[in-house]
Amino acid sequence: MTKKLRSDGGWSATVTGEPLDLVPRLLGTFLIVSPYADRVEREKFLTATLGSQDRLWDLPDVFRFAPSGRRLAGAEFRIPAESASAEDSARLPLTPAVRPGGLRMDEAKDFRHEMCTVLCRAPDDAVLTCLRDLDVLDEPLEARIGIAPDVALLFQHGTVVGWSLTDPTRYLTATYAHPDTNPPSPATRRLLTECLDLITTPVVDDLIDGEPAALTRLQAAEKALREQREDRNRAEALLELIATLVEDYGNQ
C-alpha cells in the first residue's frame, strides 16, 4: 500500500485514512469532487485553499488542499478527448482493488498538475479511467486510492498516473447541483456511451471531417435525448455534453 506519493507537477503527499465525503458530479467533461454549489462558491473555495487550479487558457487537473492541516479539500478532473482503442483499454490492470483514503500535502504550496491525455473505457462505460499516457499500461499499478465515492487515483512507482470513475452515468448532472439519487435509466446508460463516442476520437474526428455516418449519429443522439421523458436531469446533462458538437455540426 502506497503511503507516500508524488506528482510530476512537483508536489508530494501522504495517504491518510480519510477520503472526501463528497458526491462526485460529472458536469460535461469535468468531474467535480468539491463542496461548492455554484461558480461564486467555487471562486471562494479556490481563494481559501491551495494547490493546483485552472487559469485563463490553462486547464490542468485541480487538487485543492486546506491550508490548515494540508488535507485534500476537493478536486476536479477533465476527461481527455482521446479514447484508447478497445485493445489498449482491455490491458488496464484490474488489480489492486480500490482502497479508500485521503491525501495530506507534505508542503503547503501551489503547483500545477497536468491533466490526463487518454481515456480508457470499460465495457458499457461502467468505469472511465483516464491515464497520463498509454505507457502506464506497460506495468502493473501500485495502488488505487479511493479519494471519494467511486473516484480513485491510480499510482505507479509512487506517482499519480491517472484517475477513475465507477458508474459515471449515476453522477451526470447539468448544473452544479447534486445528481439524482434515483438509479440511471437503461436508456441514459446507452446514451452516455453514444455521447462519449461522439466527443472522443475517432468519431469526433469524423464529425469534424463531415463524415455522413458520424453526423447521422450526432443528430440521432440529440433527438433521442430531447425526446427522452424519464431521467430528464441526466438527459439534459448529456445534451450539454454534446452541445458544442450539435451547434457546430448538427445541422449539416
Side-chain angles (χ1 to χ4, degrees):
M1 171 66 181
T2 296
K3 294 296 184 182
K4 287 280 189 178
L5 62 94
R6 63 185 182 279
S7 163
D8 293 338
W11 61 280
S12 61
T14 301
V15 177
T16 72
E18 301 172 1
L20 293 169
D21 185 21
L22 297 171
V23 176
R25 289 168 285 173
L26 187 56
L27 180 60
T29 57
F30 288 83
L31 175 62
I32 299 172
V33 191
S34 289
Y36 49 79
D38 54 39
R39 294 186 181 277
V40 173
E41 287 188 10
R42 182 179 188 272
E43 291 304 315
K44 292 179 179 178
F45 175 74
L46 293 176
T47 300
T49 55
L50 52 89
S52 173
Q53 73 176 84
D54 54 341
R55 302 182 188 279
L56 187 63
W57 308 118
D58 185 30
L59 293 173
D61 281 342
V62 173
F63 286 90
R64 302 302 292 179
F65 295 82
S68 176
R70 306 191 305 278
R71 292 186 181 276
L72 183 66
E76 297 176 18
F77 307 97
R78 291 183 64 209
I79 297 176
E82 180 182 348
S83 271
S85 66
E87 293 77 11
D88 279 330
S89 292
R91 295 168 53 209
L92 187 69
L94 299 178
T95 56
V98 174
R99 178 170 177 174
L103 301 178
R104 185 177 64 249
M105 190 162 53
D106 293 337
E107 178 185 357
K109 65 176 183 178
D110 289 324
F111 56 87
R112 186 180 186 280
H113 187 89
E114 191 70 45
M115 68 169 284
C116 292
T117 64
V118 62
L119 169 65
C120 293
R121 297 166 61 183
D124 300 321
D125 290 306
V127 182
L128 302 181
T129 303
C130 298
L131 301 177
R132 181 182 61 193
D133 51 51
L134 286 177
D135 291 345
V136 172
L137 300 176
D138 294 336
E139 298 184 65
L141 293 175
E142 181 181 348
R144 283 183 169 95
I145 308 300
I147 61 169
D150 285 332
V151 179
L153 296 181
L154 280 57
F155 299 97
Q156 207 171 59
H157 306 301
T159 299
V160 182
V161 294
W163 59 271
S164 67
L165 174 65
T166 300
D167 198 5
T169 314
R170 178 177 295 274
Y171 299 108
L172 286 168
T173 179
T175 68
Y176 283 104
H178 284 295
D180 283 347
T181 56
N182 294 324
S185 71
T188 305
R189 293 189 184 279
R190 291 192 297 271
L191 284 165
L192 172 66
T193 291
E194 181 65 3
C195 290
L196 287 174
D197 284 349
L198 290 166
I199 68 169
T200 59
T201 56
V203 180
V204 71
D205 292 335
D206 292 340
L207 280 170
I208 294 171
D209 293 339
E211 293 289 340
L215 296 173
T216 298
R217 287 181 65 177
L218 175 63
Q219 292 161 355
E222 182 195 18
K223 183 175 184 293
L225 288 166
R226 292 198 181 281
E227 294 178 352
Q228 181 174 322
R229 295 183 178 180
E230 58 184 349
D231 209 4
R232 276 310 307 166
N233 289 337
R234 293 188 178 97
E236 291 294 336
L238 290 176
L239 281 169
E240 288 292 323
L241 184 61
I242 61 172
T244 300
L245 292 177
V246 170
E247 181 179 352
D248 292 344
Y249 308 108
N251 295 320
Q252 294 187 19

